[in-house]
Amino acid sequence: MKHSATFLSLAETLERIRGTASKKEKVALVSAFLKGLTPRDAEVAARIASGRSSERGSRDEAQVGYSALLGVIREVTGATESAVSKSYLKHGDLGELAEELLSEKKEQPLFKEELTLASVDDAFARLRGTKGHGASAAKRAIVKSLILAATPLEGKYIVKVLTGEMRTGLVSGLLAEAIAGAFGLSEEEANRAHMVLGDIGVFAGKAAEGKAAKVEIEPFRPVNFMLAEPYATAGEIAEHFGRLVYAEYKYDGIRAQVHRSKGETRIFSRRLEEITSGFPEIVAAFKDSKREFVLDGEAVPFSDGRPLPFQLLQRRLRRMEEFEEAARQAPVTYFAFDLLFLEGKETVDLPLSERRRLLQRVVTGTTARTAESVDVATEREIQLAFRESRDLGYEGLVVKDPDSVYGMGKRGSGWVKLKEELDTLDVVIVAAEYGHGKRAGVISDYTFAVRDGDRLKTVGKAYSGLTDREIDEMTRKLKEITVKDFGYRRQVKPEVVVEVAFDSVQKSDRHDSGFALRFPRIKRIRDDKGLADIDTIAKVAGIFSGQKLKVDEAA
Ligand code: AMP
């Protein structure tokens, strides 16, 4: 059997990738590294390069908190609190801090053994498996043994993976391209395999085995979701399709992929994470089904025939201990709108009209039911359907082409959405402050940022939109992820994604993006989204120039 490649060789490759701005060079570096690796090593290397330590959709994560990591680094290096703070302020990155401080280790391992991709992955698996009473001490011990065995450069990348902050500029499209190059797949084969397998590591492993060209959807392995293109008016949608299409209500809940096979039901989120335990009603709704299928749909808080506010779902995902109360307050109905797999076969390449016909046979209940839809063709019909949807408490419409296939992971023109309001932005909180008056003692002012390539650029500060209860939860969470405490102000790990509404975008030198949102307010906390899903500076700039256009036209 071939030996596992050294972890150092991967760390060095990642370092080179970080050092070049050229996408082509990044792809070439990864590709050259992957070539010749065993399938297991290729899987581990690709996953780590993508910034993850565990497979997408796996039940457990190898997460280790900032403070635990800092604790281990201090223990191993003997660094003082102020040396740690200084290093963090200098780099703004825990991985780089680890690299700097680990060059002076106080402790040494008993046996010096070189880390390999397999041994690091085994340690990650042990972290995932460590649960329950005493888990945090056991996890620290695992991380400590890794850090002790690591060179400073290796330590840097171990910490980067464990904090999910790789920042190599290797977006998943580039990684997929590199895997395709290393193992001789066409772009189309690679894209499809990546979308079907969901996890970039599993994809690389299959590619190294020579089996990626013909992968198929399988129950319990979540696939990437199809997304809808935003349109501003009913007229544009009518023009885009130019014929009879389906207008489905746009349900405001949590996107959920329901997998059922061999008597078991499992549910996955948009981020391909398992969320089964948060939705016992959906599991119960399918418990007697003898069929095997994968569904796409939306889990919506729903009672007496009407949708309830989306916020009522949040607690299901976050505060399991109050789950029963949450479920009583906001029972969930699952609105299925697509079928991806049925009885051993993929259905994604069938036309939507056919998928829908099959879906209606599989989903026949009330707690799990099919999405409402009306046939529309003209602008007027779309407008009427939109009004009806809004009057019933839904968000708008998703209009779909009956002939379209299910484009996994694509924002396809086969699905377009129509919402009423001005666009909102998904942003990440990077800093926060204590409030005043009624809000004294709680962290209620949030500075948030959008993405600019690898960097985060701030675009505003929001004070309103959350309930007192949400502010309490946010206070707890932000304290937990604080990386630097300045007393009244804290710098936090960029992790909490919120959706903000605003009146307009202005030019501003108050924020490093050069823009500021006017009157931003938080519409909701987006637990279903991660750092990779936030909006970009390009979108902000686009909204800014769109506004200008409108003003110019009006003038
Ligand atoms: P947005 O979150 O505004 O980008 O809108 C797209 C989201 O709408 C999808 O990711 C789904 O979660 C949600 N959605 C609600 N109803 C539907 C529907 N009938 N078809 C597709 N997506 C829907």
Side-chain angles (χ1 to χ4, degrees):
M1 211 182 93
K2 265 172 127 178
H3 284 297
S4 179
T6 62
F7 188 72
L8 187 63
S9 60
L10 174 62
E12 283 168 351
T13 306
L14 292 170
E15 190 69 0
R16 265 182 242 129
I17 291 166
R18 266 167 66 86
T20 167
S22 150
K23 289 185 184 160
K24 234 170 110 181
E25 229 174 291
K26 286 182 198 277
V27 170
L29 283 162
V30 185
S31 212
F33 182 75
L34 291 175
K35 223 177 264 181
L37 291 188
T38 63
R40 160 112 198 255
D41 274 2
E43 173 169 349
V44 175
R47 187 173 296 132
I48 290 178
S50 79
R52 296 181 64 92
S53 54
S54 39
E55 184 179 334
R56 265 174 176 256
S58 67
R59 288 180 197 241
D60 307 301
E61 297 273 336
Q63 282 207 337
V64 185
Y66 255 51
S67 63
L69 278 170
L70 280 172
V72 169
I73 294 168
R74 285 191 53 190
E75 218 175 290
V76 171
T77 59
T80 61
E81 177 119 33
S82 89
V84 168
S85 275
K86 221 168 103 200
S87 175
Y88 190 81
L89 279 183
K90 183 159 110 203
H91 302 292
D93 179 292
L94 218 57
E96 285 178 36
L97 170 149
E99 181 181 27
E100 180 179 339
L101 298 180
L102 285 174
S103 56
E104 288 177 42
K105 269 193 216 164
K106 185 179 75 170
E107 279 186 52
Q108 293 298 333
L110 288 178
F111 306 101
K112 182 85 189 140
E113 221 176 290
E114 199 169 35
L115 293 172
T116 63
L117 293 179
S119 69
V120 171
D121 190 47
D122 287 342
F124 291 163
R126 285 202 299 281
L127 282 173
R128 278 196 295 279
T130 307
K131 287 180 222 167
H133 187 69
S136 41
K139 282 188 166 190
R140 265 177 85 131
I142 298 169
V143 175
K144 185 171 171 188
S145 68
L146 266 177
I147 298 285
L148 269 175
T151 64
L153 188 67
E154 289 174 323
K156 169 177 180 174
Y157 283 96
I158 287 168
V159 168
K160 277 179 161 292
V161 180
L162 289 176
T163 53
E165 291 171 4
M166 195 48 94
R167 302 203 185 117
T168 48
L170 264 184
V171 291
S172 70
L174 294 184
L175 259 172
E177 200 181 320
I179 294 167
F183 304 110
L185 293 165
S186 71
E187 191 183 329
E188 209 187 315
E189 286 167 337
N191 280 340
R192 187 180 154 85
H194 183 195
M195 292 302 119
V196 170
L197 296 168
D199 181 77
I200 194 98
V202 174
F203 163 40
K206 281 262 189 275
E209 274 182 276
K211 290 191 182 151
K214 36 186 186 310
V215 291
E216 298 248 320
I217 296 177
E218 273 176 32
F220 306 139
R221 206 169 52 201
V223 306
N224 281 281
F225 290 78
M226 178 162 177
L227 303 169
E229 186 110 47
Y231 270 62
T233 64
E236 280 173 51
I237 294 181
E239 196 175 324
H240 168 71
F241 289 115
R243 61 203 182 89
L244 193 99
V245 286
Y246 303 149
E248 292 177 0
Y249 292 155
K250 187 168 188 302
Y251 297 95
D252 195 9
I254 288 178
R255 187 85 178 262
Q257 207 172 86
V258 173
H259 290 231
R260 170 104 187 144
S261 177
K262 302 196 176 81
E264 193 189 354
T265 304
R266 287 173 66 185
I267 308 172
F268 299 93
S269 72
R270 231 181 94 114
R271 293 163 80 182
L272 313 190
E273 281 161 352
E274 177 148 14
I275 50 172
T276 312
S277 60
F279 298 94
E281 303 100 313
I282 303 180
V283 173
F286 290 112
K287 81 175 186 328
D288 295 324
S289 174
K290 302 269 175 298
R291 294 168 165 253
E292 182 183 50
F293 49 79
V294 175
L295 310 175
D296 186 5
E298 191 94 351
V300 185
F302 196 82
S303 163
D304 293 333
R306 279 189 79 89
L308 302 169
F310 166 90
Q311 278 81 351
L312 291 171
L313 276 191
Q314 302 280 12
R315 267 194 288 153
R316 291 200 177 223
L317 298 175
R318 262 184 286 151
R319 303 264 302 263
M320 299 321 275
E321 73 271 24
E322 285 178 28
F323 181 79
E324 277 174 19
E325 189 207 324
R328 225 185 354 261
Q329 264 189 15
V332 155
T333 294
Y334 182 64
F335 290 91
F337 45 71
D338 223 309
L339 177 78
L340 315 189
F341 179 93
L342 181 64
E343 314 298 0
K345 281 202 222 67
E346 283 186 1
T347 52
V348 281
D349 291 329
L350 297 174
L352 174 60
S353 53
E354 181 63 15
R355 300 201 303 278
R356 242 205 355 202
R357 199 177 60 74
L358 297 169
L359 176 70
Q360 276 156 356
R361 287 209 225 141
V362 173
V363 180
T364 52
T366 44
T367 308
R369 58 176 95 170
T370 50
E372 296 284 337
S373 164
V374 280
D375 293 350
V376 293
T378 63
E379 174 177 0
R380 171 109 191 102
E381 284 165 352
I382 296 173
Q383 258 161 3
L384 282 177
F386 180 76
R387 262 294 117 228
E388 185 182 86
S389 144
R390 297 290 301 187
D391 290 345
L392 290 171
Y394 302 108
E395 226 191 345
L397 296 176
V398 184
V399 184
K400 302 179 178 178
D401 176 355
D403 294 334
S404 61
V405 299
Y406 188 91
M408 287 175 279
K410 290 197 188 126
R411 198 173 287 286
S413 55
W415 287 14
V416 307
K417 61 187 177 191
L418 183 62
K419 289 207 254 183
E420 191 148 53
E421 294 174 57
L422 194 74
D423 233 347
T424 56
L425 284 170
D426 293 327
V427 299
V428 70
I429 297 177
V430 292
E433 284 170 33
Y434 282 94
H436 308 282
K438 183 168 140 267
R439 297 273 155 86
V442 288
I443 303 179
S444 61
D445 301 359
Y446 314 107
T447 301
F448 51 80
V450 292
R451 251 179 328 116
D452 181 6
D454 264 2
R455 313 213 146 255
L456 293 172
K457 296 267 172 74
T458 55
V459 285
K461 202 168 162 186
Y463 311 86
S464 69
L466 298 183
T467 62
D468 288 348
R469 195 187 173 119
E470 283 175 319
I471 293 175
D472 286 344
E473 278 176 26
M474 194 69 117
T475 302
R476 201 172 324 128
K477 173 81 197 170
L478 294 176
K479 281 185 179 165
E480 229 173 77
I481 58 171
T482 293
V483 289
K484 178 85 186 137
D485 185 350
F486 299 96
Y488 77 101
R489 180 181 166 82
R490 285 160 182 259
Q491 184 185 353
V492 299
K493 181 179 174 202
E495 182 179 290
V496 180
V497 176
V498 293
E499 182 179 342
V500 291
F502 49 91
D503 287 359
S504 59
V505 177
Q506 297 176 310
K507 285 258 183 210
S508 157
D509 46 23
R510 191 150 28 108
H511 296 291
D512 59 4
S513 62
F515 293 108
L517 305 188
R518 205 167 133 78
F519 301 125
R521 52 213 176 255
I522 298 181
K523 274 198 76 180
R524 62 176 71 152
I525 304 166
R526 298 293 308 235
D527 286 318
D528 58 326
K529 294 198 172 178
L531 193 55
D533 304 311
I534 65 171
D535 282 311
T536 57
I537 190 75
K539 177 159 174 188
V540 178
I543 296 174
F544 177 76
S545 45
Q547 280 164 199
K548 257 187 79 215
L549 219 63
K550 279 195 194 133
V551 175
D552 293 347
E553 276 167 9

